[in-house]
Amino acid sequence: MRFSTCRGVLAGLLAAAATLPAAAQSASSKTDSVTIRRLYDEALLRGQSYENLRTLTGTIGGRLSGSPQAEKAVQWGKEVMEKMGLDRVYLQEVMVPHWERGAKEKAKAKPAKGKSIDFNVCALGGSVGTNGKLKAQVVEVRTWEELAALPDDKVRGKLVFYNRPMNPTYIETGHAYGEAGDQRRKGAIEAAKRGAVGALVRSLSLAHDDFPHTGTMSYDDKVTKVPAAALSTNGADQLSAMLKENPSLTFELEMNCRQLPEVKSYNVVGEIKGSKYPNEIIAVGGHLDSWDLGQGAHDDGTGCVQSMEVLRLLKATGQRPERTIRAVLFMNEENGNRGGTKYAELAKAAGEKHLAAMESDGGGFTPRGFSVEGSPAMVQRLQQWQPMFRPYGSGEITAGHGGTDIGPLKDQAQVLIGYDCDSQRYFDIHHTAADTFDKVNRRELELGNASMAALVYLLSKYGL
């Protein structure tokens, strides 16, 4: 039977179900509620994601694309899913960038008088090195308009210091992150266009601490490539204050990073074949790569172990999904999204039909619900299940972003779904040396596992 016909039949069945007597609808709802409760009980009593995360972060650590650690993580993910007894576990080859940070970065400010002051900095991902020590004066800006208004002689030969904080008034911290992130993404390009020798960027965080935040940045082949580094938020405030007292101070920066040839890597895929509609796929995933400063715990070790745990929870509770459920550990989300792009390319080439794709890439914090990227009708369809999730605190289902890894599936999947958890602490540790296993709460992680598994169960049973 053709996929479109299956969908038509299923839609008819669901429409018919809506006209069933209240007692029949109540019985179906009760069955689903019992199943979801079992998923939560299994996660909370016998969950394995926390210990899987302990191994991933403690034994392997940070997993920058192209690194030996990333390769170890691929083999680890494959072995974990093979031990789960899934119907199929396999690798998808993908070429990824290979950037190395090198020796720890150094930075200091030298006032005209007095002692030099050291600063905590880190190279932005993909930056060129300084080829020794780079010494220059600093010009501070907060907006692109400020930079554009400066005369050329005020920028040429200097370091442009982008010091626009994330907006603390936004309740959704991801909004603040996205808005301030343009400084990191294109700061080096815009500085170089004006003749600057480098860029310093305020870390993308609402916290006031000494942890510099790395993250991807970009270059333009038509513009000179200059080094780009992140200052901790405390360091940014300190440098700003020093510049007010001494605008002619000299900043010294030393970075040893370099870009190497691309490396072969892999997405890791495990699946349970659907019992009724095996050709309809529900993918759930996170990205296996991370930045190198910490252990990649919340970003995105939690998303990987949660996605694998969804499959384990379904098996452990005796569920036989009607549609194929696929866990995907994507490679290279942080600095290229090659894994997500390759997955979508292979799915299209194989003629696969994705009913839905779900991503967890916001940390392993307390679940709130899901953000849905799809038509208004699709959002409303998922919102009908909100009462099922409210007893567990994860009943917020709203229109929003699905995820970077699953983004390339936008034209292939009926809906993209982002797992949504409490975001208030995420950007305190995001892309820093503080993103370590000890920052993950076991119970919060397991509640998220169950929330994701519950939605996958409903999608598999009822379709869209």
Side-chain angles (χ1 to χ4, degrees):
M1 186 179 291
R2 293 178 58 189
F3 177 69
S4 57
T5 305
C6 289
R7 286 188 57 202
V9 172
L10 182 60
L13 291 174
L14 291 174
T19 64
L20 290 175
Q25 293 187 45
S26 177
S28 177
S29 177
K30 184 176 181 179
T31 298
D32 292 334
S33 295
V34 170
T35 299
I36 290 172
R37 179 71 253 188
R38 289 176 63 198
L39 290 169
Y40 273 88
D41 287 349
E42 175 64 26
L44 295 170
L45 292 172
R46 292 171 290 276
Q48 295 182 12
S49 61
Y50 191 70
E51 292 306 316
N52 282 336
L53 183 65
R54 185 195 301 275
T55 301
L56 175 63
T57 56
T59 302
I60 300 174
R63 308 166 297 279
L64 192 57
S65 290
S67 69
Q69 292 80 9
E71 176 57 29
K72 290 179 180 178
V74 167
Q75 297 306 316
W76 167 85
K78 183 172 181 287
E79 291 172 5
V80 170
M81 287 200 277
E82 285 175 341
K83 291 178 181 178
M84 291 169 58
L86 305 178
D87 293 326
R88 187 185 179 201
V89 178
Y90 57 99
L91 303 179
Q92 294 180 332
E93 182 179 313
V94 55
M95 298 300 293
V96 300
H98 185 195
W99 177 82
E100 288 185 348
R101 183 174 303 279
K104 183 175 174 59
E105 304 88 340
K106 298 178 182 179
K108 62 177 64 177
K110 293 185 175 182
K113 297 180 180 180
K115 296 182 178 180
S116 299
I117 297 176
D118 292 334
F119 281 80
N120 290 325
V121 301
C122 68
L124 294 179
S127 176
V128 297
T130 56
N131 193 27
K133 295 179 180 179
L134 173 62
K135 301 177 183 179
Q137 292 184 341
V138 180
V139 57
E140 179 181 2
V141 298
R142 288 179 177 259
T143 66
W144 302 114
E145 290 75 18
E146 284 185 25
L147 178 60
L150 290 172
D152 288 343
D153 63 347
K154 296 295 185 181
V155 182
R156 189 181 301 112
K158 296 185 179 182
L159 290 163
V160 175
F161 169 34
Y162 298 96
N163 193 27
R164 174 167 26 105
M166 285 173 56
N167 191 330
T169 66
Y170 293 156
I171 304 304
E172 175 49 58
T173 58
H175 182 191
Y177 173 77
E179 185 178 83
D182 57 348
Q183 302 167 103
R184 189 190 74 198
R185 293 189 295 270
K186 64 177 184 176
I189 296 174
E190 297 304 318
K193 284 180 179 179
R194 301 296 307 281
V197 295
L200 301 173
V201 182
R202 181 188 184 92
S203 284
L204 300 180
S205 174
L206 290 166
H208 294 274
D209 58 31
D210 296 315
F211 290 106
H213 293 231
T214 191
T216 191
M217 49 84 69
S218 60
Y219 285 121
D220 184 333
D221 290 337
K222 299 178 181 179
V223 180
T224 302
K225 295 181 180 180
V226 299
L231 287 165
S232 69
T233 51
N234 282 348
D237 290 340
Q238 184 178 19
L239 180 58
S240 181
M242 292 177 67
L243 286 169
K244 288 179 174 62
E245 294 183 3
N246 182 9
S248 62
L249 67 78
T250 299
F251 196 89
E252 182 179 293
L253 179 65
E254 184 175 1
M255 303 196 310
N256 300 281
C257 42
R258 59 177 182 165
Q259 191 74 46
L260 298 172
E262 292 186 351
V263 174
K264 182 190 298 184
S265 191
Y266 304 89
N267 294 329
V268 187
V269 186
E271 66 183 34
I272 300 174
K273 190 173 183 179
S275 60
K276 290 187 179 180
Y277 311 105
N279 293 327
E280 294 188 27
I281 299 166
I282 300 169
V284 55
H287 63 87
L288 194 53
D289 65 302
S290 75
W291 288 108
D292 55 321
L293 296 179
Q295 296 179 329
H298 278 291
D299 187 19
D300 184 29
T302 52
C304 290
V305 298
Q306 285 180 320
S307 299
M308 294 190 295
E309 186 73 351
V310 166
L311 272 60
R312 193 198 69 80
L313 291 174
L314 293 172
K315 284 178 64 67
T317 55
Q319 303 305 310
R320 290 183 54 82
E322 296 187 9
R323 291 161 172 84
T324 293
I325 314 300
R326 183 180 289 173
V328 187
L329 312 185
F330 296 96
M331 181 56 69
N332 183 234
E333 186 271 352
E334 292 292 5
N335 58 338
N337 199 30
R338 300 282 187 87
T341 301
K342 175 60 68 172
Y343 179 86
E345 287 177 355
L346 293 174
K348 185 174 183 179
E352 292 181 343
K353 307 294 184 181
H354 278 75
L355 181 75
M358 182 191 302
E359 180 168 347
S360 172
D361 188 19
F365 300 103
T366 302
R368 291 288 181 259
F370 303 90
S371 57
V372 182
E373 189 172 345
S375 67
M378 202 63 68
V379 175
Q380 293 176 6
R381 176 74 179 94
L382 269 65
Q383 285 176 335
Q384 294 178 11
W385 291 327
Q386 286 182 127
M388 297 283 188
F389 293 89
R390 287 192 181 121
Y392 308 100
S394 55
E396 297 177 8
I397 299 179
T398 59
H401 180 57
T404 300
D405 289 298
I406 61 177
L409 284 170
K410 185 174 183 179
D411 295 331
Q412 299 179 53
Q414 291 188 50
V415 66
L416 305 181
I417 304 168
Y419 165 65
D420 190 16
C421 58
D422 187 338
S423 68
Q424 301 308 315
R425 291 170 285 161
Y426 184 56
F427 293 104
D428 292 359
I429 61 177
H430 180 255
H431 295 180
T432 75
D435 187 8
T436 51
F437 176 73
D438 61 293
K439 306 301 191 305
V440 179
N441 178 276
R442 181 170 194 153
R443 185 171 179 83
E444 290 181 330
L445 181 68
E446 290 170 342
L447 286 169
N449 305 337
S451 296
M452 293 168 63
L455 184 54
V456 168
Y457 156 75
L458 292 169
L459 286 166
S460 176
K461 183 176 180 179
Y462 296 107
L464 288 171

